[in-house]
Amino acid sequence: MIGRGLLLLIASLAACARGVAAEEPPLSVQLDCGKPRHRISPLIFGVGHSERSDPQRATPGELGATARRWGGNSSSRYNWELGNAWNTASDWFFKNVDYGSSKRPAYAAFVDDNRDHQLATALTVPMIGWVAKDTTSVSFPVARFGPQHSVDPETKTAGDGLSPNGRMLPPDSPDRTSVPAPPEMIARWVRAIRAEDARRGTRGVEMYILDNEPMLWHETHRDVHPQPVGYDELLERTIRYGTEIRRADPDAVIAGPALWGWPAYFDSALDTASRRHSDREAHGNIPLLPWYLRQLADYEKRAGVRVLDVVDVHFYPQGKGIGLATAGATDAETSARRVRSVRALWDPTYRDESFIGDSVRLLPRLREWVDANYPGRGISIGEYNFGAEQDVSSGLAVAEALGRFAEANLTSAFYWTAPPRRSPVFWAFRAYRDFDGHGGRFGELFLGASSADQVSVFTSADEHAARVVAVAVNARERATRIGLDVKACGDAIEARQFSYGGGQDGFSERNIALGGDLAAAMPARSISVFEIRFPRSHAR
């Protein structure tokens, strides 16, 4: 006869074999459809725009994306009056190139394509003061500067601006490649866009973004702006360019300052370049972004002109091996750290595992800075990416991030640039935007978020339909049970689970038994979507 202890051991091993730890209580999530926290901005499901089309990357339509952002380093030097001229900056040998083969201005084709596909447009406009004068000039021609550390393999004529031993070569005057782009030039652009809007009867640009990563201009655009940007220059440019945009389009939504990451939230480029805090100390020892917001609030009171509606920053985890786009390590340690890095967006107990080594809690921090210094501003994450896009760890990170954006009531967020087709990141977007292949989406109203060790659940409701959708991210190496308590929403008449794990090509679907808490198991390292329907509307 087999003893009771042995039977319990066998039962425990069987449970582990099925991927659910024995005796582990299910994660319980309560939903109250009568108390939504806020309406979710659809613009948090945005993506970036690649200058060079990549057939391997998903289209916004395939993702269910809601908006596209025209941005990146090249946008700082785009000449809208020439139509297709821009400068590649340090990304590609400081070359002026043609944006595309279209006879129409590139920006117009971009805006119209978005309009035709019901995508909102976020348009980055130059504030650096210089734009490309043609589509052929280069900043560091070999004929003028001699041999360099690296030379454009396509033309053999453009260098990277570094001597063979890596020393920075002093650039010539900006007019070698560029022409001045004062605020009045950008205002003419905005008026041209609004004239086309009037002709077509719809707004083409939802948001104007004041340039891109100004605290890196002395590196990315050192051929025209070799000096690091300080507190005063950032404010002065924001006011001058923002004021002209406001005059050209009184209803415009203006975002900025598009800071690249953690150091730039606190210090100017003058500070980081000198490795001192003299610029910050000269401005009351107040971190850059709070100071910037306070000054713009004071300017609005004095001048009666609002030049900033949305605070825009970029978020890239900085840990070793995280990578960017498809690059990045996928070993077990790095993959786990990639998933944990999302906690820098929200978790006050998480200490960032990079050179930052601090509690970032970016989204609540930004909200506190706004509330204390310039109340009423929206918040946008203008760029974010977790690297290793083909690994499930990146998909888990993006699914978690999208839920946190909804929880924090962000105005917008834009993935950089768009994930590879049918990659884990692709399915992370689809969890919120088309989980069933028939347009099934996260709801319009945010109900709440629940978190346990390596498990997060984000819940939503439709405003006019009797439906609740929850997205659950299980980063554990084992399956995890979940119980959804929906009694406050009514009596469910249908419940379905859609699950995605690494190696799958899409979501698997199953029905969930009704009655009591809706119980289900989430596979290890997976994204699950729970769609629950009721016989009548429950949302306010």
Side-chain angles (χ1 to χ4, degrees), residues 481-493:
R481 292 180 295 163
I482 185 172
L484 299 172
D485 180 354
V486 298
K487 290 189 289 292
C489 298
D491 296 322
I493 59 173

Side-chain angles (χ1 to χ4, degrees), residues 287-357:
L288 174 65
L289 191 51
W291 178 88
Y292 173 84
L293 293 172
R294 189 177 303 176
Q295 297 303 311
L296 291 178
D298 290 345
Y299 177 76
E300 181 175 349
K301 291 176 182 177
R302 294 194 315 272
V305 179
R306 186 181 70 256
V307 298
L308 192 77
D309 302 289
V310 177
V311 178
D312 177 46
V313 302
H314 299 173
F315 174 74
Y316 289 99
Q318 298 295 304
K320 179 181 178 182
I322 296 296
L324 178 66
T326 56
T330 57
D331 59 277
E333 189 279 329
T334 306
S335 294
R337 186 159 37 83
R338 178 175 293 112
V339 175
R340 290 197 301 271
S341 71
V342 192
R343 292 168 58 189
L345 287 172
W346 64 278
D347 187 355
T349 70
Y350 176 68
R351 192 174 183 85
D352 195 275
E353 300 169 77
S354 71
F355 72 86
I356 295 173

Side-chain angles (χ1 to χ4, degrees), residues 115 253 374-375 427 474 534:
R115 194 183 338 232
V253 175
Y374 200 1
W427 295 115
N474 179 24
F534 301 88

Side-chain angles (χ1 to χ4, degrees), residues 371-400:
D371 291 346
N373 297 284
Y374 200 1
R377 301 318 91 196
I379 295 172
S380 178
I381 302 299
E383 291 181 14
Y384 69 99
N385 190 289
F386 294 93
E389 291 170 327
Q390 298 287 5
D391 188 70
V392 69
S393 64
S394 196
L396 297 174
V398 170
E400 171 89 10

Side-chain angles (χ1 to χ4, degrees), residues 193-214:
I193 291 171
R194 293 300 288 144
E196 178 64 12
D197 291 351
R199 188 184 73 81
R200 297 189 56 153
T202 59
R203 174 173 281 276
V205 175
E206 186 76 19
M207 176 186 294
Y208 294 96
I209 304 172
L210 299 175
D211 218 293
N212 183 72
E213 301 184 339

Side-chain angles (χ1 to χ4, degrees), residues 156-174:
K156 312 294 185 184
T157 60
D160 62 0
L162 301 175
S163 68
N165 64 6
R167 180 177 55 84
M168 285 189 179
L169 301 174
D172 283 342
S173 169

Side-chain angles (χ1 to χ4, degrees), residues 456-474:
S456 297
V457 185
F458 306 97
T459 57
S460 68
D462 288 344
E463 184 173 22
H464 299 297
R467 192 183 71 112
V468 166
V469 174
V471 174
V473 182
N474 179 24

Side-chain angles (χ1 to χ4, degrees), residues 138-378:
V138 299
S139 294
F140 298 98
V142 174
R144 159 76 176 85
F145 288 86
Q148 295 172 53
H149 187 262
S150 184
V151 175
D152 176 17
E154 297 174 357
T155 66
K156 312 294 185 184
T157 60
D160 62 0
L162 301 175
S163 68
N165 64 6
R167 180 177 55 84
M168 285 189 179
L169 301 174
D172 283 342
S173 169
D175 59 17
R176 171 178 283 281
T177 60
S178 305
V179 293
E184 294 75 19
M185 180 185 189
I186 305 307
R188 291 196 299 273
W189 187 10
V190 175
R191 286 194 292 271
I193 291 171
R194 293 300 288 144
E196 178 64 12
D197 291 351
R199 188 184 73 81
R200 297 189 56 153
T202 59
R203 174 173 281 276
V205 175
E206 186 76 19
M207 176 186 294
Y208 294 96
I209 304 172
L210 299 175
D211 218 293
N212 183 72
E213 301 184 339
M215 294 306 155
L216 295 179
W217 284 349
H218 63 292
E219 298 175 358
T220 52
H221 298 284
R222 70 180 191 85
D223 55 328
V224 297
H225 198 293
Q227 297 303 315
V229 173
Y231 277 54
D232 293 333
E233 182 182 355
L234 178 65
L235 178 65
E236 181 265 342
R237 288 184 181 276
T238 296
I239 290 174
R240 287 199 299 122
Y241 283 82
T243 297
E244 288 300 317
I245 292 171
R246 181 67 67 207
R247 287 172 178 165
D249 183 357
D251 298 322
V253 175
I254 304 174
L259 299 175
W260 72 267
W262 179 258
Y265 308 156
F266 295 87
D267 291 300
S268 71
L270 281 173
D271 286 327
T272 54
S274 65
R275 298 185 180 182
R276 296 192 298 271
H277 298 287
S278 55
D279 194 24
R280 189 206 290 190
E281 290 170 355
H283 294 84
N285 203 28
I286 302 171
L288 174 65
L289 191 51
W291 178 88
Y292 173 84
L293 293 172
R294 189 177 303 176
Q295 297 303 311
L296 291 178
D298 290 345
Y299 177 76
E300 181 175 349
K301 291 176 182 177
R302 294 194 315 272
V305 179
R306 186 181 70 256
V307 298
L308 192 77
D309 302 289
V310 177
V311 178
D312 177 46
V313 302
H314 299 173
F315 174 74
Y316 289 99
Q318 298 295 304
K320 179 181 178 182
I322 296 296
L324 178 66
T326 56
T330 57
D331 59 277
E333 189 279 329
T334 306
S335 294
R337 186 159 37 83
R338 178 175 293 112
V339 175
R340 290 197 301 271
S341 71
V342 192
R343 292 168 58 189
L345 287 172
W346 64 278
D347 187 355
T349 70
Y350 176 68
R351 192 174 183 85
D352 195 275
E353 300 169 77
S354 71
F355 72 86
I356 295 173
D358 200 352
S359 174
V360 175
R361 46 184 297 275
L362 178 60
L363 301 181
R365 184 187 298 271
L366 290 174
R367 185 68 64 191
E368 290 162 5
W369 281 348
V370 166
D371 291 346
N373 297 284
Y374 200 1
R377 301 318 91 196

